[in-house]
Amino acid sequence: WSYLGCRSGIKRKSESCTKNNTRAKIKKEVRLVMDINKLKILFTEEQIQNRIKELADEMNNFYGNDEVYAICVLKGAVMFAVDLVKHLNMPLKMEFITLSSYNGGTSTSGKVNAVDISLPDLNGKNVLIIEDIVDTGLTAKFLLDFLNCNFHTKSTKFCSLLDKKITRTADVDADYYGFEVDDKFLIGYGLDYDGYYRNLRYIGYVDKDDL
Ligand code: 5GP
């Protein structure tokens, strides 16, 4: 709101509006900073990176020198996908799609929202879907059904860094997963809480009472 051409009246209104917005923002940030102090570490950066290398070794063995289309499911899988593909040796193309099912809360809405699912022609290609976490499995099922309906791929594999097998309702399994986890709300390394904390290098959880 440093709009130079605005009249003083409008400017005053804008300034007070800015103050209110800033106050609300600070209040929100204080609440979130307090929450992060209660974060309990589940997987350290080292554990995550070591497991990613193991997964990449398995994939390098499976695909050999065959071309792969790696599909990163935004936003949660961004960190994992970027780190994983650095260890993959075959010719590889990266694609990005955006799905959502949490709507900013800490439990799934039960509906998968395909925000952006534009993909190239994947007929005859090896497709590797890269996800952050499989929870109910609805997102994975939606994506696998979508690919099946639209393409005859050479192969379709689903890879998730985390697998909450205990909360699964859809009949899907990841072909590759990093760690099996309990029914906790996890944060960090791509996983968010209300949009925050994706940038953490480790994965932690907050007890439900502390959220
Ligand atoms: P599903 O469709 O399998 O129930 O949920 C998949 C999506 O829900 C994930 O891609 C992720 O975005 C979100 N999700 C599931 N569990 C968690 C969690 O513990 N923490 C966070 N931040 N997101 C989660």
Side-chain angles (χ1 to χ4, degrees):
W1 285 102
S2 55
Y3 187 54
L4 290 173
C6 73
R7 289 191 200 137
S8 55
I10 298 170
K11 205 171 174 184
R12 267 201 301 276
K13 203 175 166 200
S14 313
E15 278 163 359
S16 86
C17 182
T18 310
K19 270 182 200 157
N20 287 342
N21 283 347
T22 311
R23 244 178 254 132
K25 216 171 148 194
I26 290 170
K27 222 171 153 187
K28 196 172 181 193
E29 273 162 12
V30 167
R31 180 173 63 80
L32 287 161
V33 170
M34 276 163 56
D35 287 343
I36 199 163
N37 293 329
K38 292 174 181 164
L39 200 71
K40 297 177 178 113
I41 296 180
L42 193 58
F43 300 114
T44 62
E45 179 179 11
E46 197 187 359
Q47 285 173 311
I48 295 169
Q49 295 303 329
N50 286 342
R51 186 69 187 117
I52 288 175
K53 279 183 210 142
E54 289 174 0
L55 288 173
D57 285 347
E58 276 185 61
M59 292 171 188
N60 283 325
N61 282 336
F62 176 76
Y63 292 109
N65 208 31
D66 248 17
E67 185 174 281
V68 168
Y69 276 70
I71 301 179
C72 167
V73 185
L74 296 174
K75 301 176 185 166
V78 65
M79 303 291 180
F80 175 43
V82 166
D83 284 343
L84 178 71
V85 297
K86 287 182 210 161
H87 298 287
L88 296 180
N89 303 325
M90 72 290 295
L92 181 142
K93 288 188 178 178
M94 283 187 90
E95 298 293 334
F96 298 86
I97 59 172
T98 308
L99 302 181
S100 78
S101 64
Y102 261 47
N103 299 330
T106 60
S107 62
T108 178
S109 66
K111 272 192 213 149
V112 181
N113 184 19
V115 181
D116 175 8
I117 199 166
S118 41
L119 286 166
D121 180 4
L122 296 173
N123 288 304
K125 309 290 185 195
N126 290 308
V127 174
L128 175 67
I129 302 166
I130 306 178
E131 249 290 35
D132 51 356
I133 185 164
V134 186
D135 183 357
T136 61
L138 288 175
T139 307
K141 175 100 179 48
F142 169 87
L143 205 42
L144 290 166
D145 287 349
F146 177 84
L147 289 172
N148 267 336
C149 287
N150 289 283
F151 307 103
H152 287 287
T153 62
K154 183 172 178 187
S155 71
T156 304
K157 297 278 179 199
F158 196 98
C159 172
S160 180
L161 178 61
L162 304 165
D163 195 342
K164 268 190 207 172
K165 288 183 193 287
I166 199 165
T167 50
R168 191 79 87 259
T169 55
D171 185 21
V172 282
D173 262 324
D175 298 288
Y176 302 96
Y177 67 87
F179 305 99
E180 186 174 339
V181 291
D182 291 336
D183 183 17
K184 291 195 160 69
F185 186 71
L186 305 175
I187 295 165
Y189 195 66
L191 293 158
D192 72 311
Y193 170 49
D194 202 18
Y196 292 88
Y197 304 131
R198 293 191 198 276
N199 55 318
L200 300 180
R201 292 186 212 162
Y202 53 88
I203 294 171
Y205 66 93
V206 185
D207 287 324
K208 293 237 155 101
D209 297 344
D210 290 335
L211 284 170

